């Protein structure tokens, strides 16, 4: 264990390693050693959650905090005590660690049990143990088994009180951003190869966790388990047929990369994804497709392994068709053959595009037979941390209105909405420069003082009245 860890018993994660090895690649040259310090301030944070009036809280478990070596032969008692205390305090205050069922959304109003705040009983939110990364991380198929072992420990320790589990948060961000482009931990740059190897392992790891829970724990613990996928909305840049096809291809090779194997009857990757990568691979003189195929047994193993469709959404992009030079190195972007833009004239701003959110929900409804959707992240950042965050109030108001319309007018099956995030935090390789929180955190103060922003008061009123204020 490295000396810079402030939490006794915690193992090194890939983000610990990244921020201490490649500090220059973090925008403000910061680390996550203390961050919001929720490890010590969890009682205060539960009081904040209670004051907001929400009825559920989504928080993440840290794999190396529970299993310092990454393997299940050694369990950290300090980590177990921390999560037990947090779960018990939430339940004591009538806040569920994600409820199994809520009242949902009604036209013109939003049920208070259908609104929450971020963090969650998510088993993997990007902090892979460094020991496992040293063995290849998510490009190593054995990591799927290590993940299953970790999940088994979590189900045993906390499943008597947790009724809803998310296996993996944002697989595209995990595989493409870090194993493809190398942006962030584990800083592996293997575009068009490492990202696809990661994807295969991650989907098999998710399926292993699902089947484990289904077989060993569901009957006694009576919970649900699923996955959270992140997605933009891809709007064609023009009415040109090529751009319309490119926008659909962006969706298929983005959200469809993960959702198709799980949520379609046929399973497997989208056809357009398999065909384009196979074609490009041949042109690049590879002996086989860079997209590793699933066996028939693996397709059946992954298919249907989610009790809900967890969805994170932040941005809408205009997408156009783009032909990359044949001699350009392999990459996911080249395989997609698309380019993205944001219109600076969008109102109220390029960052606030509620109609894209509604279109995304309807795309999922039509493509995947109207699955039960949980919005597990949605938000907009500001770079100042101002307490009077009016733009973020506008974002929340317009996006929730779009969500209500998608449910009441379009028939989308959305049962809960969760903001990102309850407080400002370390946003990965952006450090502390992006502010998403309902609460401002003073990262220069030893006690990490939390101060409510105007958006927290808006959210509190929304929950209390179940009405979107004018």
């Amino acid at each position: 264990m490295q000396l810079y860890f402030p939490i006794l018993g915690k193992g090194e994660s890939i983000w610990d390693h990244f921020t201490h090895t490649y500090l220059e690649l973090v925008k403000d040259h910061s680390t996550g050693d203390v961050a919001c310090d929720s490890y010590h301030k969890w009682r205060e944070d539960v009081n904040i959650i209670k004051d907001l009036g929400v009825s559920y809280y989504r928080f993440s478990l840290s794999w190396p905090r529970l299993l310092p070596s990454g393997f299940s032969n050694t369990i950290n008692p300090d980590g177990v005590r921390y999560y037990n205390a947090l779960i018990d305090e939430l339940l004591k205050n009538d806040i569920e660690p994600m409820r199994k069922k809520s009242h949902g959304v009604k036209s013109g109003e939003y049920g208070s049990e259908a609104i929450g705040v971020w963090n969650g009983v998510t088993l993997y939110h990007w902090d892979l143990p460094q020991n496992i990364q040293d063995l290849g991380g998510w490009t190593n198929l054995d990591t799927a088994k290590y993940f299953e072992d970790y999940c088994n420990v979590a189900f045993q320790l906390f499943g008597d009180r947790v009724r809803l589990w998310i296996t993996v948060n944002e697989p595209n961000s995990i595989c493409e951003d870090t194993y493809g482009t190398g942006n962030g931990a584990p800083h592996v740059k293997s575009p068009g190869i490492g990202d696809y190897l990661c994807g295969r392992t991650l989907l098999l790891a998710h399926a292993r966790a699902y089947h484990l829970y289904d077989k060993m724990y569901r009957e006694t613990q009576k919970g649900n388990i699923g996955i959270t996928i992140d997605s933009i909305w891809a709007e064609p840049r023009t009415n040109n047929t090529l751009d319309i096809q490119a926008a659909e291809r962006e969706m298929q090779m983005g959200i469809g990369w993960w959702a198709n194997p799980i949520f379609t009857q046929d399973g497997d990757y989208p056809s357009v994804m398999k065909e384009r990568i196979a074609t490009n691979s041949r042109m690049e003189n590879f002996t086989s497709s860079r997209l590793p195929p699933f066996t028939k047994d693996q397709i059946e193993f992954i298919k249907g392994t989610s009790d809900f469709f967890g969805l994170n959404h932040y941005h809408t992009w205009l997408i156009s068709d783009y032909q990359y030079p044949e001699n350009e190195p392999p990459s996911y972007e080249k395989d997609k053959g698309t380019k993205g833009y944001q219109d600076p004239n969008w109102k109220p701003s390029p960052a606030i595009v509620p109609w894209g959110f509604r279109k995304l929900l309807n795309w999922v409804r039509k493509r995947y037979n109207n699955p039960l959707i949980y919005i597990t992240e949605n938000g907009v950042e500001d770079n100042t941390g101002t307490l009077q965050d009016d733009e973020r109030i506008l974002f929340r108001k317009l996006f929730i209105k779009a969500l209500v319309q998608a449910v009441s007018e379009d028939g989308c099956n959305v049962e809960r909405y969760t903001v990102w995030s309850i407080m400002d935090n370390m946003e990965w390789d952006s450090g502390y420069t992006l502010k998403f929180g309902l609460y401002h955190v003073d990262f220069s103060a030893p006690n990490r003082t939390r101060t409510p922003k105007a958006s927290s008061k808006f959210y509190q009123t929304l929950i209390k009245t179940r009405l979107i204020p004018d």
Side-chain angles (χ1 to χ4, degrees):
M1 187 192 314
Q2 300 295 318
L3 294 177
Y4 53 77
F5 296 141
I7 309 304
L8 293 177
K10 178 184 178 296
E12 184 182 26
S13 77
I14 55 175
W15 278 93
D16 295 319
H17 183 80
F18 177 81
T19 57
H20 285 267
T21 306
Y22 305 104
L23 197 61
E24 72 280 2
L25 299 182
V26 181
K27 191 169 184 179
D28 58 1
H29 298 175
S30 60
T31 74
D33 290 359
V34 178
C36 300
D37 199 19
S38 287
Y39 186 87
H40 294 105
K41 296 174 71 67
W42 57 270
R43 281 193 178 88
E44 179 180 340
D45 292 343
V46 172
N47 286 334
I48 286 174
I49 299 164
K50 184 178 181 181
D51 187 56
L52 281 172
V54 302
S55 59
Y56 65 84
Y57 178 57
R58 180 178 173 234
F59 67 91
S60 302
L61 301 180
S62 170
W63 186 343
R65 176 167 289 156
L66 278 181
L67 307 180
S69 70
F71 306 106
S72 59
N73 61 317
T74 304
I75 300 174
N76 173 25
D78 291 321
V80 175
R81 278 193 290 270
Y82 166 66
Y83 290 120
N84 274 330
L86 175 58
I87 292 169
D88 289 345
E89 187 72 8
L90 288 168
L91 294 175
K92 176 183 173 183
N93 286 278
D94 296 321
I95 303 166
E96 294 276 352
M98 287 296 276
R99 285 195 169 191
K100 181 179 177 182
K101 185 174 177 61
S102 72
H103 292 323
V105 184
K106 299 177 183 177
S107 179
E109 65 179 41
Y110 213 103
S112 62
E113 290 192 5
I115 300 180
V117 295
W118 168 257
N119 268 344
V121 187
T122 298
L123 289 154
Y124 185 72
H125 197 142
W126 307 5
D127 57 343
L128 189 71
Q130 184 61 37
N131 284 347
I132 292 178
Q133 178 56 42
D134 291 340
L135 299 175
W138 288 111
T139 64
N140 178 1
L141 277 174
D142 286 341
T143 299
K145 179 63 172 70
Y146 305 145
F147 179 71
E148 181 184 17
D149 292 341
Y150 154 61
C151 292
N152 191 42
V153 171
F155 297 151
Q156 288 178 357
L157 290 171
F158 313 120
D160 59 327
R161 288 152 292 160
V162 173
R163 296 293 178 266
L164 194 144
W165 298 93
I166 295 169
T167 56
V168 174
N169 183 74
E170 297 192 354
N172 197 72
S173 297
I174 296 165
C175 292
E176 177 52 30
D177 289 352
T178 58
Y179 286 89
T181 62
N183 295 327
H187 194 49
V188 174
K189 294 184 179 181
S190 180
I193 299 175
D195 36 14
Y196 299 143
L197 291 172
C198 170
R200 177 178 61 175
T201 305
L202 210 63
L203 282 164
L204 288 169
H206 156 77
R208 276 179 172 268
Y210 178 92
H211 287 297
L212 171 68
Y213 189 82
D214 200 47
K215 185 181 297 184
M216 302 295 296
Y217 297 100
R218 190 189 296 273
E219 184 176 349
T220 55
Q221 297 182 358
K222 305 193 183 305
N224 281 356
I225 184 168
I227 190 171
T228 280
I229 303 169
D230 54 313
S231 182
I232 65 165
W233 170 246
E235 182 76 5
R237 190 176 188 186
T238 71
N239 289 328
N240 183 290
T241 300
L242 288 177
D243 284 353
I244 293 172
Q245 292 172 345
E248 178 63 18
R249 193 162 66 243
E250 181 76 32
M251 296 300 295
Q252 291 285 349
M253 295 182 66
I255 188 171
W257 180 358
W258 315 100
N260 268 46
I262 298 171
F263 292 98
T264 64
Q265 288 296 316
D266 295 334
D268 208 353
Y269 301 116
S271 295
V272 67
M273 184 174 187
K274 293 191 293 182
E275 291 165 3
R276 287 185 65 88
I277 298 173
T279 298
N280 283 353
S281 298
R282 283 194 300 271
M283 294 175 64
E284 294 155 351
N285 295 319
F286 286 89
T287 58
S288 61
S289 176
R290 290 179 278 103
L291 180 68
F294 290 120
T295 66
K296 290 183 179 179
D297 287 343
Q298 288 172 334
I299 289 172
E300 292 301 316
F301 186 69
I302 295 170
K303 190 166 60 178
T305 55
S306 198
D307 298 324
F308 55 88
F309 195 120
L311 182 61
N312 293 352
H313 173 70
Y314 291 90
H315 303 291
T316 288
W317 289 84
L318 293 174
I319 299 297
S320 65
D321 182 71
Y322 183 81
Q323 296 302 316
Y324 286 76
E326 288 186 15
N327 62 352
E328 186 163 312
S331 72
Y332 172 61
E333 296 300 328
K334 181 183 176 184
D335 290 335
K336 286 190 299 180
T338 63
K339 280 284 189 181
Y341 312 83
Q342 285 186 313
D343 189 338
N345 298 315
W346 275 340
K347 302 297 181 185
S349 80
I352 305 178
V353 190
W355 53 262
F357 185 33
R358 185 175 179 180
K359 286 188 174 185
L360 170 62
L361 291 171
N362 276 283
W363 190 90
V364 172
R365 173 178 64 84
K366 295 171 185 176
R367 176 70 185 173
Y368 301 113
N369 194 30
N370 204 13
L372 171 63
I373 297 175
Y374 295 160
I375 305 301
T376 43
E377 288 182 30
N378 180 235
V380 66
E381 77 280 5
D382 84 70
N383 299 319
T384 66
T386 178
L387 298 180
Q388 192 60 42
D389 54 344
D390 294 331
E391 184 180 34
R392 298 172 70 249
I393 293 174
L394 180 62
F395 176 98
R396 192 78 58 216
K397 187 183 301 184
L398 294 179
F399 271 70
I400 292 177
K401 182 178 180 181
L403 174 56
V404 170
Q405 291 170 334
V407 172
S408 60
E409 299 177 25
D410 306 334
C412 295
N413 186 17
V414 185
E415 202 173 81
R416 64 180 72 242
Y417 172 90
T418 316
V419 307
W420 178 272
S421 61
I422 188 173
M423 65 187 72
D424 296 337
N425 50 41
M426 185 177 185
E427 288 292 334
W428 311 109
D429 58 353
S430 293
Y432 301 98
T433 63
L434 301 181
K435 315 293 184 181
F436 279 92
L438 296 172
Y439 280 72
H440 172 271
V441 177
D442 184 353
F443 292 103
S444 64
N447 67 347
R448 300 301 196 267
T449 308
R450 285 96 158 101
T451 306
K453 301 179 188 179
S455 58
S456 73
K457 300 300 182 184
F458 164 82
Y459 202 53
Q460 185 181 53
T461 301
L462 176 71
I463 293 167
K464 183 177 180 179
T465 64
R466 301 191 184 187
L467 295 172
I468 303 172
D470 291 334

